[in-house]
Amino acid sequence: MMVTMSYFPIETERLLLRQFRLSDVDATAAYEGLPEVARYCSWEPRTRRRIKELIPRWIAMDGLGAKSEGIQYAVVLKASGRQIGDCVLMFDDIAARQGQLGYVMDPAHQGRGYTTEAARAVLGVGFDRVGLHRISARCDTRNFASWRVMEKLSMRREAHFREHAIFKGEWDEEFVYAMLEDEWRAQQGAV
Ligand SMILES: CC(C)(COP(=O)(O)OP(=O)(O)OC[C@H]1O[C@@H](n2cnc3c(N)ncnc32)[C@H](O)[C@@H]1OP(=O)(O)O)[C@@H](O)C(=O)NCCC(=O)NCCS
């Protein structure tokens, strides 16, 4: 018998985390095209054309199969059906069960706890369903909203890299946060 399994969709109180669709191109370009959104990301503001190239790759990131790079979620607001962000769980090292979390939210919907809600659900998928041992996340030290999300998720600050690289023409200052599977389980038990 063939067992089929899918990491999509996930529902939280206010959000639906589903697989990307080709039709998400305009909604995604509306926020990933903004300079303030790309400011601390590894990429420059993304054009509609670039997003159109990326979406098939994101659709392929379904977390299944030995070659999967991870799981890419489109974040949809249940109340309106609008796609307002994205959240990714990258598989960094399958043998050591290491994952890395990333997220982007449309500025029109920031500051309402949506990213924390989505990322918490993705941590749950990573630890409870994929079976990861450790999930990390990294951000520029000036990206307050990003590391605030990591702290709200009770991830631990593991590193503060000082001037360790050049990022967009300046010294890079980076925080690394992480959570281990035991820490996740302890947190779940405490709820
Ligand atoms: C990082 C990001 C995804 C957070 O999205 P969000 O939906 O606003 O996140 P939440 O609402 O769950 O939490 C944000 C927290 O940061 C806080 N915050 C936002 N801007 C802040 C600032 N300039 N200084 C201090 N805190 C700030 C908010 O108040 C909130 O904390 P609180 O709930 O304690 O009040 C969003 O800012 C974003 O898309 N940024 C651009 C892309 C990016 O940098 N992604 C991360 C790359 S590492």
Side-chain angles (χ1 to χ4, degrees), residues 14 31 36-43 86 101-107 109-118 137-140 142-150 152:
R14 298 173 295 171
Y31 62 86
E36 69 264 34
V37 167
R39 176 69 186 90
Y40 299 119
C41 295
S42 56
W43 32 272
D86 44 270
L101 187 65
Y103 34 67
V104 182
M105 180 59 56
D106 183 339
H109 292 87
Q110 287 177 12
R112 294 185 173 87
Y114 292 141
T115 299
T116 306
E117 187 171 321
R138 50 207 314 150
C139 73
D140 192 292
R142 294 166 297 179
N143 195 351
F144 296 104
S146 184
W147 58 262
R148 181 78 195 114
V149 168
M150 300 175 202
K152 286 196 288 180

Side-chain angles (χ1 to χ4, degrees), residues 24-191:
D24 291 327
V25 62
D26 290 323
T28 307
Y31 62 86
E32 291 207 346
L34 300 173
E36 69 264 34
V37 167
R39 176 69 186 90
Y40 299 119
C41 295
S42 56
W43 32 272
E44 295 299 334
R46 286 170 166 159
T47 60
R48 194 178 179 282
R49 203 169 129 202
R50 179 71 185 132
I51 307 267
K52 230 175 153 177
E53 281 170 6
L54 289 168
I55 288 181
R57 288 200 221 162
W58 293 342
I59 293 172
M61 288 178 64
D62 61 3
L64 303 176
K67 288 201 178 126
S68 183
E69 288 178 83
I71 313 173
Q72 176 82 48
Y73 288 101
V75 178
V76 173
L77 191 57
K78 285 201 281 192
S80 65
R82 276 188 63 151
Q83 187 237 331
I84 57 169
D86 44 270
C87 196
V88 67
L89 180 65
M90 298 296 300
F91 297 163
D92 278 353
D93 180 339
I94 294 286
R97 295 187 285 127
Q98 304 287 307
Q100 193 176 152
L101 187 65
Y103 34 67
V104 182
M105 180 59 56
D106 183 339
H109 292 87
Q110 287 177 12
R112 294 185 173 87
Y114 292 141
T115 299
T116 306
E117 187 171 321
R120 186 172 285 121
V122 172
L123 286 179
V125 169
F127 287 121
D128 298 335
R129 296 180 59 194
V130 180
L132 293 176
H133 177 63
R134 174 178 173 273
I135 299 177
S136 65
R138 50 207 314 150
C139 73
D140 192 292
T141 59
R142 294 166 297 179
N143 195 351
F144 296 104
S146 184
W147 58 262
R148 181 78 195 114
V149 168
M150 300 175 202
E151 300 220 329
K152 286 196 288 180
L153 293 168
S154 304
M155 297 176 86
R156 272 175 298 99
R157 186 181 292 175
E158 287 192 337
H160 177 175
F161 293 117
R162 304 216 51 197
E163 302 186 4
H164 69 127
I166 301 286
F167 178 72
K168 298 192 174 177
E170 295 175 284
W171 283 120
D172 190 31
E173 294 262 337
E174 190 176 69
F175 287 144
V176 175
Y177 280 75
M179 185 183 281
L180 295 171
E181 56 182 330
D182 284 353
E183 293 168 330
W184 170 254
R185 306 227 189 284
Q187 196 188 113
Q188 296 312 105
V191 174

